[in-house]
Amino acid sequence: MKLLGISGTILGAKTSASVNQLMEMVKEKHPSTETELLDLKDYKLEFMDGRPLEEYNEGTRKLITKIKEADAFIIGSPVYQASIPGPLKNLFDMLHPDTFRGKVTGLVVNGGSQKHHLVMEYHLRPILSYFRAYIPPNNVFLHTSEFNEENKVTDGEMVKRMEKLAEEIGNMAKL
């Protein structure tokens, strides 16, 4: 089984670090799971304009192919202006509506204000519901203060929540 972590931003390090940390927790519980971090900042994702996929650049095609081939996901997103970042929304716009159908998709969101903890519920969950993804109930919002200097989540309560989400992802996806 292939678990793909998607860091849905082209800025900063906390989002990719939290997705990676969560993937490591899943791998610890389910060692046979193949994991890969897909960090949007590593790809030259073109702006979606309705062309057929084969007309986009190699980075965009490679990104979409990796997503199509995955069995389960962890999607990470920072909160910008009370919403998900444009690159992540652009990526969602490029995907076929069946891409996440029946696939477990855990969410980890980070932001600088506790006021934004519902972005996951009001922005990401509706998009993934449209895609017919299976979304675990215990997704995680991380405040900037819950990361250490190396961008690792060290807050005890948040680590427990991440471990619970890792367990749910593994069990739901039958990794």
Side-chain angles (χ1 to χ4, degrees), residues 18-90:
S18 63
V19 170
N20 199 49
Q21 187 173 348
L22 191 51
M23 282 195 314
E24 288 173 3
M25 291 174 174
V26 173
K27 183 90 169 153
E28 192 174 293
K29 295 174 186 313
H30 304 277
S32 64
T33 303
E34 181 186 340
T35 60
E36 181 180 355
L37 176 65
L38 192 153
D39 196 333
L40 291 188
K41 70 177 90 169
D42 296 335
Y43 294 84
K44 296 211 182 299
L45 181 62
E46 288 187 272
F47 190 76
M48 196 283 208
D49 61 11
R51 287 178 279 160
L53 181 60
E54 54 275 358
E55 293 181 19
Y56 286 92
N57 67 27
E58 181 181 350
T60 300
R61 291 191 317 270
K62 187 175 182 181
L63 193 68
I64 302 304
T65 300
K66 285 178 183 252
I67 293 169
K68 285 180 180 178
E69 293 173 351
D71 300 301
F73 301 90
I74 296 171
I75 297 178
S77 175
V79 177
Y80 297 145
Q81 308 296 1
S83 186
I84 62 173
L88 181 57
K89 178 60 169 90
N90 184 52

Side-chain angles (χ1 to χ4, degrees), residues 115-163:
K115 296 175 184 176
H116 295 311
H117 71 278
L118 289 175
V119 165
M120 186 175 349
E121 296 299 322
Y122 295 140
H123 291 263
L124 277 173
R125 190 175 291 270
I127 293 168
L128 292 165
S129 292
Y130 166 77
F131 280 118
R132 302 288 192 255
Y134 292 150
I135 306 166
N138 289 305
N139 293 291
V140 178
F141 176 83
L142 299 165
H143 185 269
T144 302
S145 65
E146 293 161 340
F147 291 84
N148 68 14
E149 302 79 36
E150 289 83 37
N151 292 318
K152 185 172 175 90
V153 178
T154 55
D155 178 85
E157 183 60 32
M158 289 299 109
V159 170
K160 285 180 189 173
R161 291 189 68 190
M162 290 175 76
E163 287 173 345

